Amino acid sequence: PRNLTKAAGFYNTMLQSDDPAVIVECLNGYRLKEKQPDNLGEFTVPVGKIEVTKEGKDVTLLTYGSTWRIVMDAAKELEQLGISVEVIDAQSLLPFDINADVAKSLNKTNRLVIVDEDVPGGASAFLLQEIIEKQVGYFTLDSAPLTITAKAHRPAYATDGDYFSKPSVDDITEQIYELMREAKPNE
């Protein structure tokens, strides 16, 4: 979950189920000040369904967990550069996007970027496989899909560790800008 309110929704969903589950709370979520919902013990978050948190037309940007906040900041910067980003929160990995809504987004944007704080070949590779192979997303892509992940080393344990190890707003903005510059060099 991208924040602890979403985590509470997942807990409520799973408490209504007989299925086993693992909910991984993002460490950076504990540093947030969130508005607590009135129905904290009642509301649920659907498992296996994505959430489009920002509409866009140039590129589909898929993320989950605490990287969602970084992605939203990067999307604001990209908007100022004339690049419209559709931001999607995967919400759950297993199952992932049972309605193939990411493929519907690709029909609109024709470009895919996956941002993940995991190491290369981790969850981003899983998400890419799900979208390209199972959702047959490769038919609609006009550019090669891009994954922006943490560096391939053990992250440091301080706030600067996040900056130097995990994707930053600058990393995301620069790489998507390059992707769009290749696709539309005159704009």
Side-chain angles (χ1 to χ4, degrees), residues 13-127:
T13 299
M14 297 319 299
L15 287 170
Q16 296 174 5
S17 171
D18 291 331
D19 295 326
V22 174
I23 300 169
V24 180
E25 295 176 3
C26 55
L27 185 60
N28 289 332
Y30 292 109
R31 298 182 182 111
L32 296 176
K33 300 287 186 208
E34 299 177 54
K35 184 180 183 316
Q36 184 174 339
D38 295 332
N39 60 345
L40 189 62
E42 301 166 5
F43 83 99
T44 59
V45 174
V47 177
K49 296 191 178 183
I50 64 159
E51 181 180 356
V52 177
T53 57
K54 182 186 171 305
E55 296 283 335
K57 60 180 176 49
D58 291 328
V59 61
T60 298
L61 207 158
L62 175 67
T63 191
Y64 67 94
S66 62
T67 9
W68 176 84
R69 289 186 311 282
I70 296 166
V71 163
M72 291 301 287
D73 290 343
K76 288 176 190 169
E77 283 192 24
L78 289 162
E79 288 287 335
Q80 293 173 352
L81 297 170
I83 299 171
S84 175
V85 179
E86 180 147 298
V87 178
I88 297 176
D89 182 358
Q91 297 201 105
S92 66
L93 298 178
L94 292 172
F96 167 72
D97 192 13
I98 56 178
N99 297 328
D101 290 324
V102 174
K104 294 171 189 167
S105 175
L106 289 180
N107 286 331
K108 178 173 45 168
T109 66
N110 303 108
R111 286 174 192 80
L112 174 64
V113 176
I114 299 172
V115 179
D116 178 19
E117 67 180 3
D118 198 0
V119 296
S124 57
F126 167 75
L127 292 169

Side-chain angles (χ1 to χ4, degrees), residues 124-145:
S124 57
F126 167 75
L127 292 169
L128 189 60
Q129 179 184 14
E130 289 285 311
I131 296 162
I132 299 300
E133 291 180 14
K134 292 188 180 171
Q135 295 184 9
V136 197
Y138 64 89
F139 276 125
T140 60
L141 292 179
D142 289 341
S143 301

